[in-house]
Amino acid sequence: MKLSRLLFTLTLISLLVAPVASAIAEELVVYSARKEHLIKPLFEAYTKETGVKIKYVTDKAGPLLQRLKSEGANTKADLLLTVDAGNLWHAANEGLLQPLNSQVLEANVPAELRDPKGQWFGLSKRCRTIVYSTERVKPADLTTYEALGDAKWKGKLLLRTSKKVYNQSLVAMLIATYGEKKAEAIVKSWVANLGAKPFSNDTKTMKGILAGQGDVAVVNTYYFGRLLKKNPDLKLALFWPNQDSTGVHVNVSGGGVVKASKNKEAAIAFLEWLASDKAQNLFADANMEYPVNPKVKAHKFVEAWGSFRAMDTNLARAGELQTDAIKLMDRAGYR
Ligand code: FE
């Protein structure tokens, strides 16, 4: 090819490519209820790879949703990242997110861990499972969430407060599985077995077991991981319940594209990247969670807790049934 012809071809290519490149935003704004130290390394990695800069605001889920609502069409936010399907569902239900059509997200995020309407997608998994004292309980003593209401656990069960969305989602999924009547009987039987008033967080709940206030509890796996990392001789272990029936309650942290985003294409590209093989370990490992992408393995430290069967009901149910769950817990005397 002659030089002049080559130059002509290159000019033509750059003319064709230029409009596409300029349509991709150079900066995205993320509102994140996921903590700064967990997301900053991801944002930096994305900027390094693509040149797209990421500005972010971190706060609790409630205030962030409130802020998105009041900013309305004027918001600068392109993406919302938050924990718990209950919160993601709320954001979608308030009309703050937009439905996406992305084959990449559909391939990388299992159907039960994303909104059937495509408004939010799980990006990491956390299991709300049973933790027990290795000094006073044998795994053979345990079977299911509902069996924590058996008389043998009288005064030995510890729970976190019902005010926390994690427990609201857990009870919502019990309603989805068993119906309201049976779910209420289960929660009542738990309350009857409490060894102490519900704790304000999962870590305190586990420390309650170590202090002898109870023998078993229900917590998110990464809180167990944090304690284990500090103390490898921790006298606690995880148990995977309901393996012959419904499976372990798995929740997610995840995200969606803000309805008023002016950078939709770039926001989708970033979400797709977060669910990709190369970003999933960065996303999950930082908080000792599980990748949602089935092609990606959990960190060795997390994998050592064993494999399990997970519940396959769509997590949108945790949002849809949240109000019912809150009322049910109140009726059952779970504070
Ligand atoms: Fe948490």
Side-chain angles (χ1 to χ4, degrees):
M1 198 187 293
K2 274 192 190 155
L3 187 63
S4 61
R5 177 108 182 245
L6 178 67
L7 283 173
F8 174 77
T9 312
L10 285 174
T11 311
L12 196 67
I13 289 171
S14 66
L15 280 175
L16 287 171
V17 169
V20 177
S22 66
I24 295 286
E26 272 146 35
E27 188 177 281
L28 286 168
V29 177
V30 178
Y31 283 7
S32 174
R34 198 165 163 88
K35 299 209 172 69
E36 183 176 14
H37 70 277
L38 299 177
I39 50 168
K40 207 170 161 219
L42 275 163
F43 295 170
E44 286 167 355
Y46 191 66
T47 304
K48 203 171 158 199
E49 195 179 310
T50 63
V52 176
K53 293 201 176 63
I54 298 183
K55 280 191 176 171
Y56 58 90
V57 172
T58 58
D59 204 338
K60 292 217 156 101
L64 281 182
L65 292 197
Q66 212 40 56
R67 179 166 171 174
L68 275 176
K69 251 167 100 172
S70 57
E71 289 173 345
N74 298 319
T75 188
K76 295 216 162 46
D78 297 302
L79 290 127
L80 173 72
L81 295 180
T82 185
V83 295
D84 205 284
N87 289 332
L88 290 161
W89 182 89
H90 264 294
N93 196 46
E94 297 275 3
L96 301 172
L97 304 175
Q98 55 177 300
L100 310 181
N101 252 323
S102 160
Q103 286 180 356
V104 175
L105 286 169
E106 277 166 31
N108 289 352
V109 183
E112 68 274 18
L113 305 179
R114 54 181 157 87
D115 176 26
K117 294 180 199 131
Q119 296 180 95
W120 53 263
F121 298 82
L123 294 168
S124 66
K125 295 190 284 190
R126 57 269 300 279
C127 311
R128 197 149 186 82
T129 194
I130 297 176
V131 61
Y132 63 91
S133 160
T134 52
E135 294 178 311
R136 301 185 293 276
V137 177
K138 289 189 277 306
D141 297 335
L142 294 158
T143 50
T144 62
Y145 293 105
E146 45 274 34
L148 294 177
D150 290 352
K152 70 172 173 184
W153 301 114
K154 186 118 196 141
K156 292 178 177 169
L157 174 64
L158 301 181
L159 293 174
R160 182 180 186 158
T161 168
S162 65
K163 310 278 179 300
K164 183 69 189 179
V165 67
Y166 300 163
N167 284 330
Q168 295 165 1
S169 289
L170 172 70
V171 171
M173 294 308 265
L174 284 181
I175 299 174
T177 307
Y178 297 117
E180 189 140 349
K181 211 170 149 199
K182 186 169 172 196
E184 186 166 340
I186 293 168
V187 175
K188 271 189 179 146
S189 71
W190 289 350
V191 172
N193 281 348
L194 287 179
K197 260 182 25 189
F199 293 82
S200 60
N201 66 47
D202 283 13
T203 304
K204 283 182 185 163
T205 310
M206 281 183 282
K207 286 184 174 168
I209 297 182
L210 296 174
Q213 288 177 281
D215 292 349
V216 288
V218 178
V219 296
N220 279 4
T221 38
Y222 55 93
Y223 292 110
F224 168 79
R226 285 179 204 172
L227 280 188
L228 186 63
K229 205 148 237 183
K230 276 192 211 150
N231 175 13
D233 295 323
L234 193 68
K235 303 287 187 237
L236 297 173
L238 294 177
F239 179 81
W240 304 117
N242 298 65
Q243 292 303 284
D244 299 327
S245 53
T246 54
V248 174
H249 169 57
V250 169
N251 211 316
V252 292
S253 83
V257 174
V258 172
K259 191 178 226 166
S261 165
K262 282 118 200 138
N263 302 305
K264 183 177 175 182
E265 296 310 314
I268 295 174
F270 181 51
L271 261 193
E272 288 176 341
W273 183 82
L274 288 175
S276 72
D277 298 18
K278 57 185 161 193
Q280 274 282 284
N281 278 119
L282 261 181
F283 197 98
D285 296 357
N287 193 34
M288 291 180 256
E289 289 174 90
Y290 297 83
V292 287
N293 186 330
K295 296 191 291 289
V296 182
K297 277 178 101 175
H299 190 279
K300 261 195 267 170
F301 184 77
V302 170
E303 199 125 272
W305 306 336
S307 56
F308 55 88
R309 181 179 159 204
M311 199 180 278
D312 59 8
T313 309
N314 191 290
L315 268 181
R317 300 294 283 150
E320 290 159 9
L321 294 165
Q322 191 185 76
T323 308
D324 292 340
I326 293 169
K327 287 185 195 156
L328 185 155
M329 290 190 282
D330 189 51
R331 285 198 303 277
Y334 179 11
R335 300 293 173 242

